[in-house]
Amino acid sequence: MKISYNWLKQFINIDWDAEKTGELLTDLGLEVEGIESYQSVKGGLEGVIIGQVLNCEKHPNADKLKITKVDLGSGEPVQIVCGAPNVAAGQKVPVATIGTKLYNDKGEEWVIKKGKIRGEESHGMICAEDELGLGKSHDGIMVLNTDITVGTKAAEIFDIENDSVFEIGLTPNRADAMSHWGTARDLKAGLLQKDLNLELITPSVSNFRVENRLNKIDIEVKNTELAPRYCGVTISDIKVSESPAWLQHRLKAIGITPKNNVVDVTNYVLHELGQPLHAFDAHYIEGNKIEVKTLDAGTKFITLDEVERELHQEDLMICDAVKPLCIAGVFGGVNSGVTERTTSIFLESAYFDPISIRKTAKRHGLNTDASFRFERGIDPNITEYALKRAALLIQELAGGNISSEIMDLYPKKIEDFQVILSFENATKLIGEEVPQDTIKRILTSLDIKINSVTETGIGLTIPAYRNDVQREVDVIEEILRVYGYNTIGFTQKLNASISNIDKFSDHNVQNTISNQLVGQGFYEMLANSLTSPDYIALSEQLKDENNVEMLNPLSNDLAVMRQSMLFSGLEAVSYNSNRKRSDLKLFEFGKTYHNYEDKRIENKHLSIIISGDRSKETWTMSSQTSDFFYLKGIVYSVLERLGLTRLKTSPIKNDVFAEGLSLSIGKAQLVDFGILKKSILKHFSISQEVLYADFNWDVILEYAKHNKIKYTGIPKFPEVRRDFALLLDDSIKFEEIHTIAKQTEKQILKDVNLFDVYQGKNLPKGKKSYAVSFILQDDNKTLTDKQIDKIMNKLQYNFENKLGAELR
């Protein structure tokens, strides 16, 4: 947002330099990102001096050139070759001296140099209006009043505007400061803290008068929710022309191109008071009626930029009795704007629903000064005042008569906010005690009304235009920013409190698992909880009716809250693989969001995604592709770290997996993991295999809290290993061997491990060979060969009888 310092001084009479004022504005929360210089004439006419033509003779070598002698007040006259037809002796003229920088209509710089023109020396240039930037005429040189003293600087003669323009990085919550008036209001409060009590000067509208009622236009607001307040008035017999210099300078300083005196006034009041206005050519309003309403979806409308747009059923429109005229609060129509042929106007001032304007502006890709303010929330109480201000300025610049009463439709007043401020809470949040008198002075300076004062606090009424100040904490923030963050002192002593935190609190357990996964080569990711509703179609287990939809989505790709962690993870895989980073090991802690008939639910998850090689290729080891068993090992390591070991395995039911497993404890499902379907990967343009695990973190956390960890000492007696090579049917799984072994010997058998699988020639058809190791250990004594052989014989017998195994 650009703020002109000269314009700001019309509201508050401050004599500080721009740098100092900019520092105060920044301290008040209106961060000044830069200060630019503005000159109504680029270069400020520096080097241009008023001279007098002493002699004027024809150039001997050119018919259209003349040689002049010009007195510049420095003693010795200078010779200047001039091609203007109107140059003559005795004239007072502006002269650009050697070294002066002038600018063409494109802003390109050129420097006046000493030179020869057709053999005759020339020491400067006698200038025309357009050459100095003072006008558009190039018919001849400027001839000035003879009373002007020779040698006077041209900058002292002509009305040149020099200004400083603040570039303010306005935060979205500060809708109240989106104008010069709002900025001056904050500046006044800041100056009061520095014991400078300056008056805030507001434009007077006391001269507003209704001259006649010959051009009444009726107003009907059919949607008062989207247009809570709507004002209008007609002005007849105006003359549309170019705006005066002072108005053009104000608009140009903040980067707005002047158009005509009527449109320029609406822009001026917009940036002066923060109230958007719109002027309609009354001649094009059919039926002498304005209707504020929505139209059917698909209605065509051509805007001022001559683009035909298709309206949405929620777009608020300004219409006459027959046709739409304007997209309310956003952009005007091509056929209702003010032109040089306009003689009467209908002037609109309104308060529109911020959410509605935001949605409409985003839908049509429009971002105007008006929509910028409406969608953040303007002051609903200055609607009529701004209308009168603009009407008086239009009368001043374009003539005309106020030809109707002001129609002000405001059926339900937008109320101010009531807040109770506790002095104790203010002290706690600020960090030191601010005197109560200072608090009252600051609040009063911000137009916050004090209703009641007690020993413990204040009852306040917050004006409606401060829609960001509705809570006690917001009021304390207002006090602090005006009081000054830099004013708050620092203590010399650092105090800390030791809190009793459960080791199974969410963030502690989360940090433990995060550190473990990072140690295993994973990277933590953080995805947006907003996602595309189109992803619901990728899984039958996700339903459209369970979506939590955004009321004001930034785009269709961010229109709903995610029901699954998977798709945001696949977006990360796709993004990385498209940039030649195909070896990925990612994890994320996050939430999913579900909308059911009776309630809305958030579930926390831990998701793990693996794709590509598990480790980089080195000279000692070739690369290994990540597979299901690698993922399985990671999943089990996470659960074992939390002491969850007695797990039930079942086939996976989630339809996003091509194959996988589901782990549970009792009826509580802990994790689904496996290989994702290629059809889902294709949707994200992923060609390589992706492994995925989805942990139900809320359930895991609950079981981890109640899991009792038992500690045992390291055995003093040696362990013994024995191996079997078993010939088995292809259908038999290692899990069956493991279960039978544990049932056969529960005390001494410590571990069962599959270390080799063979299928191929020399084996009967439908058979495979498993090499299985058994670790035996007695915690109280050393095992004897007799004990070991007895256990191994029992194992062999059970494998042969229950699995049909043969010992090779």
Side-chain angles (χ1 to χ4, degrees), residues 145-338:
N145 194 310
T146 56
D147 295 338
I148 301 174
T149 304
V150 172
T152 303
K153 293 181 179 179
E156 298 174 7
I157 303 299
F158 298 103
D159 183 19
I160 297 176
E161 179 91 359
N162 290 295
D163 198 358
S164 296
V165 180
F166 302 111
E167 181 66 46
I168 295 179
L170 195 68
T171 52
N173 64 308
R174 292 303 309 277
D176 63 295
M178 291 188 297
S179 65
H180 287 76
W181 186 17
T183 303
R185 188 166 48 207
D186 257 21
L187 185 59
K188 179 184 183 300
L191 290 169
L192 190 61
Q193 279 302 108
K194 298 184 179 297
D195 297 324
L196 292 173
N197 190 6
L198 300 182
E199 181 185 359
L200 187 63
I201 305 165
T202 54
S204 173
V205 295
S206 60
N207 291 331
F208 182 86
R209 298 285 184 277
V210 178
E211 276 85 9
N212 60 67
R213 294 166 179 81
L214 301 176
N215 193 13
K216 181 185 177 184
I217 293 179
D218 294 325
I219 301 173
E220 182 181 3
V221 178
K222 294 188 175 181
N223 193 324
T224 56
E225 289 185 4
L226 301 185
R229 188 175 189 184
Y230 192 90
C231 297
V233 71
T234 60
I235 308 174
S236 302
D237 302 321
I238 63 171
K239 179 176 177 56
V240 178
S241 60
E242 190 178 75
S243 295
W246 69 266
L247 178 53
Q248 293 196 38
H249 293 334
R250 287 287 178 266
L251 297 179
K252 287 179 180 178
I254 59 174
I256 296 176
T257 303
K259 293 179 175 62
N260 59 57
N261 48 7
V262 175
V263 174
D264 290 349
V265 165
T266 62
N267 284 327
Y268 180 83
V269 175
L270 165 69
H271 290 276
E272 179 187 48
L273 304 178
Q275 171 66 53
L277 303 164
H278 192 75
F280 299 89
D281 190 326
H283 175 74
Y284 293 101
I285 299 176
E286 299 186 49
N288 279 343
K289 185 176 183 180
I290 288 290
E291 296 182 356
V292 184
K293 60 184 180 179
T294 56
L295 299 176
D296 293 335
T299 302
K300 307 294 185 187
F301 180 68
I302 302 176
T303 46
L304 272 173
D305 54 1
E306 299 184 352
V307 174
E308 184 179 74
R309 303 180 188 276
E310 191 172 294
L311 300 179
H312 188 272
Q313 66 269 20
E314 294 180 0
D315 290 338
L316 186 66
M317 301 295 295
I318 311 299
C319 309
D320 60 20
V322 177
K323 62 185 182 299
L325 302 173
C326 171
I327 302 177
V330 180
F331 212 33
V334 70
N335 292 321
S336 62
V338 175

Side-chain angles (χ1 to χ4, degrees), residues 25 42 108 117 144 156 179 297 403 470 478 621 631 650 707 754 763 788 798:
L25 288 173
K42 193 168 183 179
E108 298 169 341
I117 301 177
L144 306 176
E156 298 174 7
S179 65
S403 53
Q470 300 184 26
E478 289 296 292
M621 181 177 64
L631 174 63
S650 58
N707 184 55
L754 176 66
L763 291 182
I788 296 169
N798 286 336

Side-chain angles (χ1 to χ4, degrees), residues 218-459:
D218 294 325
I219 301 173
E220 182 181 3
V221 178
K222 294 188 175 181
N223 193 324
T224 56
E225 289 185 4
L226 301 185
R229 188 175 189 184
Y230 192 90
C231 297
V233 71
T234 60
I235 308 174
S236 302
D237 302 321
I238 63 171
K239 179 176 177 56
V240 178
S241 60
E242 190 178 75
S243 295
W246 69 266
L247 178 53
Q248 293 196 38
H249 293 334
R250 287 287 178 266
L251 297 179
K252 287 179 180 178
I254 59 174
I256 296 176
T257 303
K259 293 179 175 62
N260 59 57
N261 48 7
V262 175
V263 174
D264 290 349
V265 165
T266 62
N267 284 327
Y268 180 83
V269 175
L270 165 69
H271 290 276
E272 179 187 48
L273 304 178
Q275 171 66 53
L277 303 164
H278 192 75
F280 299 89
D281 190 326
H283 175 74
Y284 293 101
I285 299 176
E286 299 186 49
N288 279 343
K289 185 176 183 180
I290 288 290
E291 296 182 356
V292 184
K293 60 184 180 179
T294 56
L295 299 176
D296 293 335
T299 302
K300 307 294 185 187
F301 180 68
I302 302 176
T303 46
L304 272 173
D305 54 1
E306 299 184 352
V307 174
E308 184 179 74
R309 303 180 188 276
E310 191 172 294
L311 300 179
H312 188 272
Q313 66 269 20
E314 294 180 0
D315 290 338
L316 186 66
M317 301 295 295
I318 311 299
C319 309
D320 60 20
V322 177
K323 62 185 182 299
L325 302 173
C326 171
I327 302 177
V330 180
F331 212 33
V334 70
N335 292 321
S336 62
V338 175
T339 67
E340 64 275 3
R341 296 184 300 275
T342 301
T343 58
S344 63
I345 63 170
F346 173 77
L347 189 61
E348 164 198 282
S349 178
Y351 177 87
F352 297 122
D353 177 65
I355 295 176
S356 170
I357 299 300
R358 170 71 173 171
K359 286 183 176 181
T360 297
K362 290 296 290 183
R363 269 194 292 266
H364 297 291
L366 295 170
N367 183 20
T368 62
D369 284 338
S371 68
F372 179 81
R373 285 157 178 79
F374 276 128
E375 65 192 30
R376 284 160 175 79
I378 61 172
D379 184 356
N381 296 319
I382 66 164
T383 311
E384 184 182 7
Y385 169 71
L387 186 67
K388 290 181 177 179
R389 167 67 170 159
L392 288 172
L393 281 174
I394 289 172
Q395 278 191 298
E396 178 186 333
L397 304 182
N401 302 307
I402 306 296
S403 53
S404 75
E405 296 283 358
I406 288 181
M407 296 279 289
D408 185 3
L409 278 68
Y410 196 14
K412 185 177 180 181
K413 187 176 185 298
I414 297 174
E415 298 295 336
D416 295 335
F417 310 110
Q418 304 299 320
V419 176
I420 302 296
L421 171 67
S422 163
F423 292 130
E424 182 182 357
N425 290 341
T427 300
K428 285 180 180 178
L429 282 178
I430 292 174
E432 68 178 51
E433 185 175 356
V434 178
Q436 293 184 16
D437 289 341
T438 301
I439 290 176
K440 295 173 191 175
R441 187 172 73 246
I442 290 172
L443 294 175
T444 303
S445 69
L446 292 172
D447 285 351
I448 296 175
K449 182 181 178 183
I450 297 176
N451 299 324
S452 60
V453 181
T454 66
E455 292 182 359
T456 59
I458 316 179

Side-chain angles (χ1 to χ4, degrees), residues 9 71 452 486 517 623:
K9 289 177 181 178
D71 179 12
S452 60
N486 296 333
L517 290 172
S623 61

Side-chain angles (χ1 to χ4, degrees), residues 70 96 105 107 119 173 289 380 419 482 530 535 570 574 722 724:
V70 182
D105 56 357
N173 64 308
K289 185 176 183 180
V419 176
V482 176
L530 299 176
Y535 291 154
L570 290 179
S574 176
R722 293 289 186 268
F724 275 168

Side-chain angles (χ1 to χ4, degrees), residues 473-621:
V473 67
D474 299 327
V475 176
I476 295 172
E477 183 183 8
E478 289 296 292
I479 295 169
L480 182 54
R481 73 178 181 84
V482 176
Y483 182 69
Y485 290 98
N486 296 333
T487 309
I488 305 300
F490 292 92
T491 60
Q492 299 298 315
K493 183 172 66 173
L494 179 65
N495 297 321
S497 299
I498 299 174
S499 59
N500 182 22
I501 301 176
D502 184 3
K503 67 177 181 179
F504 287 108
S505 62
D506 189 1
H507 73 277
N508 273 343
V509 179
Q510 188 172 311
N511 286 341
T512 298
I513 298 304
S514 295
N515 290 335
Q516 175 174 318
L517 290 172
V518 169
Q520 291 173 316
F522 282 78
Y523 288 90
E524 184 170 9
M525 61 173 280
L526 181 63
N528 198 335
S529 294
L530 299 176
T531 189
S532 169
D534 298 338
Y535 291 154
I536 299 298
L538 298 178
S539 173
E540 294 181 359
Q541 294 180 316
L542 305 178
K543 306 296 182 183
D544 283 325
E545 58 266 26
N546 298 139
N547 272 333
V548 178
E549 298 181 349
M550 295 293 99
L551 294 176
N552 189 18
L554 295 174
S555 69
N556 189 55
D557 290 338
L558 301 171
V560 298
M561 305 289 280
R562 62 184 176 186
Q563 290 191 52
S564 171
M565 302 272 287
L566 171 61
F567 307 118
S568 52
L570 290 179
E571 287 175 349
V573 173
S574 176
Y575 182 88
N576 280 274
S577 60
N578 287 338
R579 287 156 180 79
K580 304 301 182 182
R581 294 183 62 87
S582 55
D583 301 331
L584 301 169
K585 292 193 288 186
L586 308 172
F587 74 94
E588 179 187 9
F589 286 96
K591 290 185 177 181
T592 58
Y593 307 85
H594 311 270
N595 184 23
Y596 299 113
E597 290 184 1
D598 55 341
K599 58 183 176 180
R600 292 181 176 181
I601 294 177
E602 296 181 10
N603 294 322
K604 191 162 188 178
H605 294 259
L606 163 63
S607 67
I608 291 178
I609 288 186
I610 301 173
S611 187
D613 293 338
R614 68 175 74 173
S615 59
K616 292 183 178 180
E617 184 179 19
T618 66
W619 67 277
T620 59
M621 181 177 64

